[in-house]
């Protein structure tokens, strides 16, 4: 799945990429920015496939030429992938090639995924995924080789914001003085975390949220959902294809997050300190990425409950179970405390990123909720 036709929605973005290739105006470095689930990575792969295709049409790659056959398994010799990885048991720095088979299989099966999905695939859910400094030497080495098929040498970098500083600096030198016929496609969700000098040397392509109607079409056409059910899921996905796909499988993780959120709010309101401490210990046993995802979920639920008070169902993005809880809980989220609650969630996220003791982070957050919910 790495054709333009497989990407959900994003017609304007696809048309722009195709037009640039047809007109021979391909920038040597492209920064593809956008929210989760918007299809940035599949767009990058489809664009590279289209460039390499021998018999491309006006709208897509042919799918049968030698280049496309290699792209079907993501094994084209002139296509290189850089992505966050986790150290193996040896403790030595690793490079992407240590995980390249898993990456090709995983990405080829479905290029719509999040970092925590990739961590699970590597079997390192508790790990901190980064792009190590050693990777920059690999990039330099690969780009110094002659192109296998006489065309472009391409590097797709997924989540370049995860690069170590030294790696980012070496990449900057490559972007400043790129070898002939090289193409960099940087796929990011947080361009503000990249070196400003890297951003300034790339051409930015902003990918918006996926259109709700396009997600609806995917759910009906690809997954065979009835339109009424698909429409509810597409609305709740709010432009995130990954979220829509996860909803199909009745995500156990989301149910866990809902139960943990409800439990924390009730315990905090009732000032049950001993139970709150047990709650923080339960959360501390989860993997780091899952902890961050829980805080993302809490952040979303606080916002949704605040909006719920306005009685405008068309702008509420909660499922039935969440809305049933909101009917009782929403009045406690108001103009006096919403900023404070969201700030404390952001602080907890920051502390987890900085490897602060997780038990302390979550227990401190729970204690602060006691005060904030009473405002």
């Amino acid at each position: 799945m790495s054709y333009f036709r497989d990407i959900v929605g994003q017609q304007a973005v696809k048309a722009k990429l195709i037009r640039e290739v047809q007109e021979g105006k391909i920038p040597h470095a492209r920064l593809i920015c956008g929210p989760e689930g918007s299809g940035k990575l599949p767009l990058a792969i489809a664009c590279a496939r289209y460039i390499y295709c021998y018999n491309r049409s006006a709208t897509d790659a042919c799918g049968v030429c030698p280049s496309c056959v290699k792209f079907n398994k993501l094994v084209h010799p002139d296509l290189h992938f850089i992505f966050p990885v986790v150290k193996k048991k040896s403790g030595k720095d690793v490079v992407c090639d240590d995980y390249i088979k898993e990456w090709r299989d995983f990405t080829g099966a479905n290029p719509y995924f999040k970092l925590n999905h990739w961590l699970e695939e590597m079997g390192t859910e508790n790990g901190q995924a980064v792009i190590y400094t050693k990777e920059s030497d690999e990039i330099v080495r690969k780009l110094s080789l002659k192109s296998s098929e006489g065309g472009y040498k391409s590097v797709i970098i997924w989540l370049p914001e995860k690069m170590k500083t030294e790696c980012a600096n070496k990449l900057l030198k490559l972007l400043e003085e790129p070898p002939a016929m090289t193409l960099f496609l940087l796929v990011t969700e947080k361009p503000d975390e990249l070196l400003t000098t890297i951003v300034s040397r790339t051409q930015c392509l902003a990918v918006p949220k996926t259109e709700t109607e396009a997600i609806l079409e995917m759910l009906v056409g690809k997954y065979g959902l009835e339109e009424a059910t698909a429409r509810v899921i597409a609305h709740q996905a709010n432009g995130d294809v990954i979220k829509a796909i996860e909803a199909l499988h009745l995500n156990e993780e989301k149910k866990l997050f809902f139960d943990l959120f409800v439990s924390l709010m009730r315990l905090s309101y009732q000032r049950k300190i001993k139970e709150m401490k047990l709650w923080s210990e339960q959360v501390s046993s989860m993997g780091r990425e899952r902890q961050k995802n829980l805080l993302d979920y809490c952040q979303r639920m606080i916002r949704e409950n605040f909006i719920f008070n306005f009685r405008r169902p068309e702008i509420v993005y909660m499922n039935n179970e969440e809305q049933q809880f909101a009917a009782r809980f929403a009045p406690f989220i108001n103009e006096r405390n919403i900023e404070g609650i969201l700030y404390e969630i952001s602080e907890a996220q920051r502390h987890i990123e900085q490897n602060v003791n997780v038990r302390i982070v979550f227990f401190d957050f729970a204690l602060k909720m006691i005060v904030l919910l009473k405002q």
Side-chain angles (χ1 to χ4, degrees), residues 158-170:
W158 182 60
L159 304 186
E161 59 267 30
K162 295 290 184 181
M163 285 189 290
K164 291 277 192 180
T165 304
E166 194 176 336
C167 181
N169 284 325
K170 286 191 178 181

Side-chain angles (χ1 to χ4, degrees), residues 17-26 47 50-51 56:
L17 291 171
I18 289 167
R19 187 168 60 251
E20 286 180 348
V21 176
Q22 291 172 345
E23 295 175 356
K25 296 178 180 178
I26 305 169
C47 180
Y50 192 67
I51 289 169
R56 55 179 174 253

Side-chain angles (χ1 to χ4, degrees), residues 85-88 90-95 98 130 132-135 164:
V85 293
V86 175
K87 285 184 180 180
K88 296 195 174 185
S90 63
K92 295 179 181 178
D93 282 0
V94 295
V95 292
D98 294 327
V130 296
Y132 291 98
T133 302
K134 193 176 176 183
E135 199 64 56
K164 291 277 192 180

Side-chain angles (χ1 to χ4, degrees), residues 210-230:
T210 306
E211 308 88 331
T212 300
E213 285 300 313
I215 295 177
L216 172 65
E217 262 181 55
M218 173 198 74
L219 294 171
V220 173
K222 184 176 179 180
Y223 294 99
L225 264 66
E226 291 188 7
E227 186 169 337
T229 305

Side-chain angles (χ1 to χ4, degrees), residues 357-372:
N357 185 295
V358 175
R359 280 190 182 86
I360 295 172
V361 170
F362 279 100
F363 189 46
D364 181 60
F365 169 58
L367 291 172
K368 285 172 177 170
M369 288 304 299
I370 291 176
V371 178
L372 288 162

Side-chain angles (χ1 to χ4, degrees), residues 159-353:
L159 304 186
E161 59 267 30
K162 295 290 184 181
M163 285 189 290
K164 291 277 192 180
T165 304
E166 194 176 336
C167 181
N169 284 325
K170 286 191 178 181
L171 174 64
L172 175 60
K173 290 178 184 176
L174 279 173
L175 295 178
E176 287 173 334
E177 298 176 18
M181 294 292 285
T182 56
L183 174 65
F184 290 91
L185 294 166
L186 285 68
V187 180
T188 178
E189 280 153 20
K190 298 177 180 176
D192 53 323
E193 293 184 8
L194 288 168
L195 294 177
T196 53
T197 42
I198 285 181
V199 176
S200 67
R201 282 162 178 78
T202 60
Q203 195 173 115
C204 184
L205 176 68
V207 181
K209 288 181 178 181
T210 306
E211 308 88 331
T212 300
E213 285 300 313
I215 295 177
L216 172 65
E217 262 181 55
M218 173 198 74
L219 294 171
V220 173
K222 184 176 179 180
Y223 294 99
L225 264 66
E226 291 188 7
E227 186 169 337
T229 305
R231 195 169 290 281
V232 171
I233 292 174
H235 172 72
Q236 291 174 352
N238 192 22
D240 186 337
V241 174
I242 300 170
K243 193 179 287 185
I245 294 170
E246 285 180 336
L248 291 176
H249 306 296
L250 200 59
N251 194 320
E252 287 181 19
E253 187 173 82
K254 188 173 180 181
K255 180 70 171 82
L256 170 66
F257 291 168
F258 172 71
D259 291 341
L260 286 169
F261 176 78
V262 170
S263 176
L264 174 62
M265 295 303 115
R266 286 176 175 161
L267 293 174
S268 297
Y269 186 76
Q270 296 165 4
R271 303 189 177 202
K272 292 187 175 181
I273 306 297
K274 184 179 178 182
E275 288 83 351
M276 288 162 65
K277 191 169 186 297
L278 291 171
W279 180 92
S280 63
E281 288 173 358
Q282 180 188 352
V283 173
S284 69
S285 68
M286 293 159 46
R288 188 188 310 277
E289 286 301 318
R290 185 172 273 190
Q291 289 160 359
K292 290 193 284 188
N293 290 341
L294 169 62
L295 288 169
D296 283 339
Y297 179 82
C298 291
Q299 199 170 57
R300 184 179 77 81
M301 283 296 285
I302 293 298
R303 287 194 181 117
E304 290 295 334
N305 275 269
F306 180 69
I307 293 168
F308 190 85
N309 291 313
F310 296 106
R311 308 298 176 193
R312 295 275 305 280
E314 72 276 9
I315 57 172
V316 171
Y317 296 93
M318 292 188 284
N319 63 30
N320 290 336
E321 193 174 10
E322 290 168 339
Q323 289 193 45
Q324 285 172 12
F325 176 68
R328 302 183 299 278
F329 176 67
F332 294 97
I333 307 299
N334 51 59
E335 292 87 346
R336 295 183 299 279
N337 62 11
I338 184 170
E339 287 189 14
I341 295 173
L342 293 177
Y343 172 78
E344 293 303 336
I345 294 173
S346 295
E347 282 294 283
Q349 288 172 320
R350 187 169 65 84
H351 290 145
I352 288 174
E353 288 280 1

